[in-house]
Amino acid sequence: MVDRRYATWLRAAATLAVGLLVSGAVAHAQTLTKVRDIRANPRGYANEVVTIEGFATQWVESTATTTSFYFLKDDWGGVIKLRTSREKPMVGTRYRVTGPVGIDVAQHNDVFISEEMRIEVRDESAPQAPAVAAPIVVPTEMPEPAPGGLSKESVILIVAIVAAVALLIGLVAWLARSRRQAPPTGLGDDLGSGLPSAVPEAPPQIVEGRTIKIFAPPPGTLKILPGRFEVVAGDDTVKEIRFYRVKGQSTPEVTFGRAAGAPFTHVQLKPMTVSSRQAKLTFINNQWILTNFASEASNPTRVNGMELPAEGQAALKEGDRIEMGEVTFLFHAS
């Protein structure tokens, strides 16, 4: 009777451990998007933030001042172009990349991903069990149990549960390592850009007008950059938007769009005349460069009345008038 009770308990524990292991592996796999799914339905994925994983296969130098391209091949054989303003990836290295899907109308509707987060993946293709001093060998023939000892079935189940627990420990270690390597995520919006690596000592101060929502930090917490937007139409509550350098940013960037975003690096414009990802400001060589994300057929970005094409750029100067939907700004260099 004792042996049977122990055998039942060991079976239940083994089933639970293996179930947790399989569930964790499946959950991890489901966070990735397949390139072939994006290419099969590019319009359905347009402006949607996805995460893909694979090997960098080719780097393409660009004539643009802020962006270049590279190609990434995922585990299902799909290859896609990625637009990046970050450092050059190493060809042959495995990366996990997050960003919104775009369609380049100037290049025959070529599909690409605008990289907003990239981390290098090392030996993370599958959870690995921790190394052990010697393998556990289960003999095919076992001696009869001594009086009062465990039965043959109980011993086999003990070995099985030890192996399952070892795999479970390996999964936990792998998840802990992944969490240490991955940058903090965003606020759950469709930008996927992630929170800044440095958290201010004081909580962000939310300034929310009729159509504009921004984060204004308390004095002294972030470095203020030169340049600002004066709000001249679309909102009578927010009068001015300043730009900040967040600790950990190699190149300061500020995004604009109808979707919510990270504090101090995103300005939310609520009107339906604004795209979820409208535009981006990049501070390079003491100058702000405006990049348009919206298509000309939907909600274009205008500079001094001229529409910027998708992925088009303009270097801002004093007095430039910028229109994003029904919201209008004047740029001041100081």
Side-chain angles (χ1 to χ4, degrees), residues 58 61 82 113 136 153 182 224 240 256:
Q58 182 183 358
E61 294 291 347
L82 289 100
I113 295 176
I136 300 174
E153 183 185 16
I224 301 178
E240 181 182 79
F256 295 79

Side-chain angles (χ1 to χ4, degrees), residues 135-145 151-160:
I136 300 174
V137 178
V138 180
T140 57
E141 294 294 331
M142 299 188 66
E144 291 298 323
S151 66
K152 182 189 299 185
E153 183 185 16
S154 298
V155 174
I156 293 175
L157 286 172
I158 290 175
V159 173

